[in-house]
Amino acid sequence: MLVHKAQMQIPPDQSFIDPSIHFAISFAQNLGVAVDRLNGLRGVFTSALTQLMDCNREGESDSPILLDVFEEDGRLVIELINRGVPIFTQGSTLSRLQEASQQMDRLSIENLGASGQRLVIEMNLGSMATQRSVEKLGLPEKTNGFDEQNIELCELICGQEKKLTELFYFVYGYNYINEAIYYPEKIRAMWESGKLISIAAALPDGRLAGHVGLMKSNENPLVYEPCFGIVHPGIKSHGLFSRLFGRAMDKLHQLPMDYCVFDCVTNLDFSQRLVSRAGACDLALFVGSQGSQTQAKLSRLGIGSDPHVSDRYSILYSIITGSLNPFGKQIHLPESLGEMLGFLLMPFGMTWNPTPRINSLPREGHYKTSFQPRQNAVLFDLMKPGRRALASILDEWKELLRNGYRYGAVELSVQEPGLDHVYDLLAEQGFFVAGFIPYHLSRSLGVRFQSMGPTHIDFDEIKVFSKTAKKLHGVVERDYQRNHLL
């Protein structure tokens, strides 16, 4: 969660060192950093900025240095972006900075290529950050004594949309993945159209402490999806989210629907337990599909620890059915995929049969590309499989990898011909199975294949709850190990 942020450009001139130090230290003082730690921070920042100025002076650079100071996830972060003489070429500079950084929690220098270098100084703020967030919402400091009788669960109506936006800002800053939450007018429009149903936890003064929404994602078939699930970190260990989710599921089962889709982050299995108890069937595991910067940190919310090895978050994709056999009773799959994924069909009362031996892949085909730049992710919708379309997808994915993308997925309907050939060609290029998806949220199932760019993923840090999900976890990990390109 981003709470405070300040930014300035520093001309590469020694006379601007003292004003810049005052700027950064004043920011830290405003966060309540203790005097002894302020002195340590002053020393490190002074050394870092002085070294940058010296490098730029020797190289006669006139490019300003960009200074960002902000609080994020309980840490004070100072970033210096250098577009002048590369600091990493100065060996003595690095040793002096490392010596000065002993009192900080992190000091790093990152090569940004044509954008220069980023020098980062970090200091953990501990309980100070959580306390400010609690004070902003006006919750009691000691939440263990919080009287839950003062919280009312209710359905939000027009006129309360700004309160929902405020709640998400207090928890996520401006980093929440769905930007619609920051537009009260969009929330109101969704309520008025019946697209969004909001179940909220309201404080006595009308402010919100939590929320779970139900979004209508498709009309035919009628599909819903839980969304905007949140509880303010000032309220912990009281079961408030469980109560909100339970109320939302009660509302869901009162609605006419064909199915409801769920995507749960796998850095913990708490939400998966709730979804499983509600009758969900697991379908797919999207490995490394989410950037960590768009997720509220567990440590910040006080509900656990975040992954230490994995750079990105994974998603477990599940479904609750509301009608009988929404995807039919039987599908055809290549034996390689049927043997791996057929167990996922059993909870739906479905079976699979092998596709015919003669099941060639057409020559042309076409696809659609959807970008998710905030996630450094891309989805290729292979609407009509074909050799030329697949070759284009693989070329496009290679180019996106060179431009910083870290997750790529290919989806296609199981009803399309040549599925076995699609899997073979993708597997040769490092793609591995994720599982099934409702293709275009229709009555037809599809298959997702996925690939990751240079990133660290520890499968042991992917937490799943149900027996089906654990079996799927093993299947996906083995296929990843078999196909992954080192």
Side-chain angles (χ1 to χ4, degrees):
M1 171 186 173
L2 188 83
V3 179
H4 298 90
K5 181 179 176 69
Q7 186 179 83
M8 68 181 297
Q9 284 192 342
I10 309 171
D13 188 298
Q14 299 281 339
S15 63
F16 288 93
I17 291 180
D18 286 342
S20 302
I21 294 170
H22 178 74
F23 178 83
I25 297 303
S26 296
F27 186 95
Q29 283 177 317
N30 186 55
L31 296 182
V33 176
V35 174
D36 59 333
R37 302 193 76 197
L38 280 176
N39 291 334
L41 178 64
R42 187 190 306 273
V44 175
F45 181 64
T46 301
S47 178
L49 187 56
T50 300
Q51 295 303 325
L52 279 176
M53 289 291 189
D54 288 345
C55 289
N56 281 279
R57 180 180 58 189
E58 293 171 5
E60 298 183 350
S61 170
D62 59 358
S63 297
I65 298 167
L66 180 63
L67 169 62
D68 272 327
V69 191
F70 53 92
E71 179 195 358
E72 185 176 48
D73 301 324
R75 297 168 294 125
L76 169 65
V77 183
I78 297 177
E79 291 185 351
L80 291 162
I81 305 295
N82 175 44
R83 293 294 303 276
V85 176
I87 189 172
F88 55 79
T89 62
Q90 311 295 320
S92 58
T93 295
L94 295 183
S95 62
R96 287 195 294 270
L97 286 176
Q98 290 169 352
E99 181 180 351
S101 68
Q102 297 304 309
Q103 299 184 58
M104 298 297 103
D105 294 290
R106 177 193 171 202
L107 186 145
S108 65
I109 298 175
E110 178 183 355
N111 184 2
L112 303 179
S115 297
Q117 303 83 41
R118 178 190 289 116
L119 190 150
V120 182
I121 302 168
E122 289 186 6
M123 174 188 288
N124 289 328
L125 297 173
S127 61
M128 291 182 291
T130 300
Q131 179 57 32
R132 275 192 307 280
S133 184
V134 170
E135 290 170 351
K136 273 186 140 182
L137 192 58
L139 298 174
E141 179 178 353
K142 296 181 179 180
T143 57
N144 286 336
F146 192 80
D147 184 4
E148 287 191 65
Q149 300 302 317
N150 291 330
I151 296 181
E152 178 187 2
L153 301 190
C154 57
E155 190 170 327
L156 292 182
I157 58 175
C158 296
Q160 298 175 305
E161 53 272 10
K162 292 181 180 178
K163 297 176 182 178
L164 186 56
T165 294
E166 289 172 352
L167 172 62
F168 272 81
Y169 169 75
F170 287 144
V171 178
Y172 283 93
Y174 287 108
N175 292 321
Y176 190 66
I177 184 173
N178 189 337
E179 292 188 358
I181 201 65
Y182 300 111
Y183 295 90
E185 63 275 14
K186 291 185 179 181
I187 299 172
R188 185 186 184 105
M190 287 188 287
W191 285 342
E192 290 178 336
S193 67
K195 185 176 182 179
L196 175 64
I197 299 170
S198 288
I199 309 297
L203 296 168
D205 61 4
R207 286 177 292 177
L208 303 183
H211 175 269
V212 172
L214 292 171
M215 184 79 72
K216 185 187 296 182
S217 303
N218 198 22
E219 290 283 354
N220 186 22
L222 193 51
V223 181
Y224 282 88
E225 180 177 3
C227 62
F228 303 143
I230 191 172
V231 167
H232 192 279
I235 300 179
K236 312 175 195 177
S237 304
H238 294 283
L240 180 58
F241 186 80
S242 298
R243 291 173 55 206
L244 277 168
F245 185 82
R247 182 69 66 88
M249 291 300 98
D250 290 342
K251 182 69 176 179
L252 176 67
H253 290 301
Q254 296 171 9
L255 299 170
M257 68 154 181
D258 288 288
Y259 57 89
C260 179
V261 299
F262 298 80
D263 51 9
C264 300
V265 290
T266 59
N267 50 334
L268 80 168
D269 63 11
F270 172 73
S271 57
Q272 297 175 43
R273 291 172 183 268
L274 296 178
V275 172
S276 182
R277 285 200 293 266
C281 303
D282 303 313
L283 272 182
L285 183 62
F286 306 156
V287 178
S289 62
Q290 301 282 305
S292 58
Q293 71 276 6
T294 60
Q295 299 292 336
K297 303 299 183 291
L298 300 184
S299 55
R300 178 79 179 103
L301 300 178
I303 57 176
S305 59
D306 296 283
H308 299 292
V309 177
S310 300
D311 295 333
R312 295 172 64 83
Y313 285 57
S314 301
I315 295 292
L316 180 67
Y317 190 85
S318 310
I319 283 181
I320 289 178
T321 58
S323 63
L324 186 63
N325 303 121
F327 308 111
K329 295 183 178 181
Q330 189 180 86
I331 60 173
H332 287 83
L333 293 171
E335 287 194 21
S336 57
L337 290 175
E339 291 174 355
M340 277 197 296
L341 303 176
F343 69 96
L344 296 171
L345 302 172
M346 294 174 61
F348 296 94
M350 299 177 67
T351 58
W352 69 276
N353 287 325
T355 53
R357 291 183 179 274
I358 302 176
N359 188 24
S360 61
L361 184 64
R363 179 180 176 182
E364 297 295 332
H366 68 270
Y367 67 97
K368 176 182 177 182
T369 305
S370 299
F371 299 100
Q372 300 171 3
R374 293 192 68 201
Q375 302 292 351
N376 291 322
V378 61
L379 173 63
F380 300 104
D381 181 1
L382 189 54
M383 294 175 285
K384 288 294 179 184
R387 292 190 298 275
R388 184 166 293 181
L390 270 171
S392 295
I393 286 174
L394 292 172
D395 287 342
E396 191 172 338
W397 174 230
K398 290 176 183 177
E399 181 64 26
L400 289 170
L401 285 172
R402 288 192 285 268
N403 286 279
Y405 273 68
R406 291 295 175 263
Y407 181 83
V410 177
E411 292 183 351
L412 71 158
S413 171
V414 297
Q415 297 177 356
E416 294 293 337
L419 181 54
D420 50 347
H421 300 293
V422 171
Y423 174 49
D424 289 342
L425 290 171
L426 290 175
E428 289 176 359
Q429 300 300 317
F431 281 78
F432 57 102
V433 296
F436 295 113
I437 46 92
Y439 188 65
H440 292 181
L441 295 181
S442 69
R443 300 184 189 277
S444 172
L445 285 181
V447 180
R448 173 182 283 210
F449 303 101
Q450 56 194 344
S451 178
M452 289 185 294
T455 187
H456 295 292
I457 292 292
D458 185 347
F459 274 83
D460 290 337
E461 289 186 333
I462 299 176
K463 307 300 181 185
V464 291
F465 168 67
S466 72
K467 290 182 180 179
T468 300
K470 289 177 181 178
K471 187 174 181 179
L472 174 62
H473 179 284
V475 167
V476 173
E477 181 177 9
R478 286 190 294 273
D479 205 46
Y480 166 79
Q481 293 171 344
R482 182 165 48 242
N483 301 341
H484 184 54
L485 300 178
L486 298 179

